[in-house]
Amino acid sequence: MEYAYFLGCTIPFRLNHYDLSTRKVAQALGIKLVDIPGASCCGLQIESVLYNGWLASSAYNICKAEEMGLDMVVLCNGCHTSLIKANKTLKDKKHLRDEINEILKTVDLEFKGKIEIKHFVTMLVQDYGIDKIKNKIKKQFDGLNVGAHDGCHFLKPSDYIRFDDPEMPKHLDELIELTGAKSVKYKDRLRCCGGPLLSVNEDLATKLAREKLANFKEAGVNCIITICPFCNIMYDSQQLKIKEVHGETYDIPSLLYPQLLGLSLGVDSAELGLDQNAVPTDSVLEFLK
Amino acid sequence: MVAEKPSPKRIDPAFKNLVLKEEGGDHLLRCYACGTCSGGCPVAELEATFRPHEIIRMSIFGFKDELLSSNVIWLCSFCYNCYERCPRDVKPAMVIRALRNIAARQGYVPNGIKMIAESVYKIGRVTEITDFENEARADLGLPAVEPVDIEKMKKVLKKAGLEKVLPKEE
């Protein structure tokens, strides 16, 4: 199994542990991830100011994966929704495909519509298979209660993404429970983390994150599991900022899913970047048997 | 930036046609104002000035200036709840995106978003990966991130019209 691996902007800038743990998990499972040379921003961040600019940016990166002849795997929910939406839009709507190809012609690229784009998590469920992962589990968590946060852009818009149920998602829970951890119910699981608002209105973004953190705390989770750099930032590094600014103490570690799975696959904790998370993660390791 | 509730003063009934023409704005007139979008909106719950159904109604009536110059249209987090749940398939989040695109062409873009768009135009990414970041990656055994072919990316974004919604290049 081989995929073109799209990192996006935020992960190599401030969440290398997400990248690192994903590569280690892929290695342990025998999945080959090939970096896309010269990949740019997926375009999501300019979708609000210029629709065509977003579509052309996404297409630019999709073309690179098409040239590699590989389906694309992404780690960031933002890139996920952006690239999948662009890929389907360009496959379905000829007038937009023509318009974007006219733009891409200036750099000798052409969108051909040859590949599929998936989140790493989707790939694990759809292509690799839960049962196959189960066979590779070496260590189980015992008594670890996890608050799973899928993130809006992993699930929606569901007419483009077509993977999990946007109102009652279950795949992330299945993946979490493979490790022996329990994905517990908590209030407003589907609520936005606030991340997309950080650059426009930090106050509002923080309000959303504080509500979520209070809900995690109320449910008594031992750790939060996210699959997106922005959601992770809101619950991890912003958790410390919230403590400083608002005096609210949560002390809930927030892990990226590949960090959790990696531990269960027997990958050494030092190789999963667990020392890079903002909130200390030692308490999670105590549950690993 | 504190959100201010737009106070309707002047209407332009033709404004809806502008929204209808924009990508994602084409279902605008289907709205029968049930309020499902606002009911399920995480931002509306915390921010009294933000009500997607009001934004839709104002677009239909033609409160053009109030909408385009207000920062209310920039408060949507694009969680897509309204998009999933709207019984009339209005796709309120996409109407808001359409309004933002129109606003951007008229020079109304919040600073945070303008700065990000400028970075994408100048370096092809939101955040620049310098030697410093790549050294940190090397310490973890991660491969260096290759730079974006900025000349190519700029050509693409220029042809798409990004310069027109950004302040003039120096």
Side-chain angles (χ1 to χ4, degrees):
Chain A
M1 291 175 85
E2 194 175 348
Y3 296 90
Y5 183 52
F6 186 82
L7 272 183
C9 298
T10 307
I11 293 167
F13 190 69
R14 56 189 288 196
L15 280 177
N16 280 324
H17 46 303
Y18 191 11
D19 183 18
L20 180 65
S21 53
T22 302
R23 289 180 202 259
K24 295 294 175 186
V25 163
Q27 205 180 353
L29 296 176
I31 300 164
K32 198 172 171 200
L33 301 175
V34 189
D35 288 85
I36 303 173
S40 72
C41 168
C42 70
L44 180 71
Q45 301 285 3
I46 56 171
E47 186 182 352
S48 275
V49 292
L50 185 70
Y51 179 86
N52 266 0
W54 155 67
L55 205 48
S57 302
S58 267
Y60 180 84
N61 291 293
I62 296 168
C63 286
K64 285 180 181 285
E66 284 185 346
E67 281 178 351
M68 294 163 79
L70 296 171
D71 284 341
M72 194 196 284
V73 154
V74 300
L75 294 182
C76 166
N77 284 1
C79 303
H80 175 252
T81 202
S82 171
L83 290 160
I84 287 182
K85 243 168 47 176
N87 201 32
K88 184 165 161 51
T89 301
L90 293 168
K91 281 181 183 180
D92 293 352
K93 296 188 174 173
K94 191 182 177 299
H95 72 283
L96 286 170
R97 187 168 64 242
D98 290 345
E99 211 173 301
I100 296 302
N101 272 335
E102 194 58 37
I103 293 172
L104 293 174
K105 213 197 269 174
T106 55
V107 293
D108 300 319
L109 288 174
E110 186 192 355
F111 175 90
K112 297 193 175 82
K114 289 194 304 194
I115 62 155
E116 294 296 325
I117 297 158
K118 287 175 185 184
H119 196 290
F120 184 71
V121 163
T122 311
M123 180 273 288
L124 288 180
V125 175
Q126 267 184 349
D127 301 0
Y128 197 84
I130 297 270
D131 287 339
K132 231 170 116 191
I133 303 174
K134 211 179 269 173
N135 293 333
K136 307 230 172 186
I137 297 287
K138 295 207 172 84
K139 289 178 178 177
Q140 291 265 332
F141 287 96
D142 184 18
L144 181 72
N145 288 329
V146 163
H149 174 84
D150 315 79
C152 301
H153 297 156
F154 175 63
L155 303 168
K156 302 169 279 181
S158 64
D159 54 344
Y160 286 86
I161 293 168
R162 294 173 187 277
F163 177 54
D164 214 340
D165 185 326
E167 303 284 359
M168 274 169 86
K170 62 174 196 298
H171 291 306
L172 185 57
D173 303 293
E174 288 169 357
L175 285 167
I176 286 169
E177 300 202 338
L178 278 177
T179 70
K182 186 169 186 276
S183 180
V184 299
K185 278 194 176 160
Y186 65 94
K187 193 181 166 218
D188 289 339
R189 166 170 173 166
L190 297 173
R191 180 69 64 90
C192 166
C193 67
L197 288 169
L198 210 50
S199 62
V200 185
N201 190 326
E202 189 174 345
D203 207 40
L204 190 53
T206 307
K207 265 190 205 163
L208 281 158
R210 285 167 67 197
E211 276 213 353
K212 291 283 299 207
L213 285 166
N215 293 342
F216 285 125
K217 194 176 178 180
E218 198 188 306
V221 304
N222 305 112
C223 81
I224 301 164
I225 291 293
T226 58
I227 51 171
C228 168
F230 294 101
C231 306
N232 186 267
I233 286 167
M234 294 313 285
Y235 301 147
D236 197 26
S237 50
Q238 287 293 111
Q239 188 185 139
L240 298 184
K241 201 169 171 192
I242 287 166
K243 186 176 180 176
E244 206 181 290
V245 177
H246 300 278
E248 295 166 5
T249 307
Y250 298 102
D251 288 337
I252 312 172
S254 176
L255 272 64
L256 282 317
Y257 177 70
Q259 292 185 303
L260 186 82
L261 179 60
L263 288 168
S264 227
L265 291 171
V267 181
D268 194 85
S269 63
E271 294 211 292
L272 295 166
L274 284 154
D275 57 339
Q276 309 263 316
N277 298 53
V279 178
T281 54
D282 310 341
S283 57
V284 175
L285 295 174
E286 287 167 19
F287 292 91
L288 191 63
K289 302 295 169 204
Chain B
M1 200 164 37
V2 180
E4 277 171 29
K5 199 166 174 112
S7 54
K9 287 173 196 121
R10 207 158 28 105
I11 64 164
D12 173 4
F15 179 62
K16 60 179 175 294
N17 298 323
L18 211 61
V19 181
L20 287 165
K21 264 199 290 187
E22 209 68 27
E23 280 301 327
D26 53 332
H27 288 185
L28 176 70
L29 299 179
R30 292 182 178 195
C31 176
Y32 52 33
C34 68
T36 299
C37 50
S38 298
C41 173
V43 175
E45 205 168 313
L46 298 174
E47 174 57 55
T49 60
F50 188 77
R51 297 286 181 267
H53 76 285
E54 283 183 7
I55 293 175
I56 302 289
R57 229 20 34 200
M58 288 175 77
S59 304
I60 295 170
F61 288 158
F63 291 116
K64 182 182 162 191
D65 298 334
E66 284 78 1
L67 278 170
L68 299 184
S69 65
S70 157
N71 71 14
V72 166
I73 58 170
W74 300 92
L75 294 180
C76 168
S77 74
F78 286 114
C79 78
Y80 286 91
N81 274 353
C82 57
Y83 180 104
E84 297 288 334
R85 296 172 184 171
C86 173
R88 295 283 293 153
D89 197 27
V90 173
K91 301 183 167 64
M94 298 297 97
V95 173
I96 291 170
R97 182 187 65 193
L99 290 169
R100 288 184 184 185
N101 269 246
I102 298 169
R105 290 201 294 271
Q106 303 198 6
Y108 298 113
V109 181
N111 276 334
I113 296 203
K114 198 182 284 169
M115 275 163 59
I116 290 172
E118 274 168 356
S119 306
V120 173
Y121 191 57
K122 282 180 189 149
I123 57 173
R125 313 174 57 94
V126 174
T127 44
E128 191 170 13
I129 305 297
T130 64
D131 291 346
F132 177 79
E133 280 79 20
N134 274 330
E135 272 165 31
R137 288 176 60 78
D139 288 344
L140 292 168
L142 291 168
V145 173
E146 260 194 42
V148 181
D149 188 330
I150 296 164
E151 289 317 308
K152 280 192 177 170
M153 191 62 190
K154 229 175 190 170
K155 266 190 197 169
V156 169
L157 293 172
K158 189 172 183 172
K159 185 110 198 256
L162 192 61
E163 266 182 357
K164 288 176 207 145
V165 294
L166 292 176
K168 289 271 172 292
E169 277 279 292
E170 64 277 2

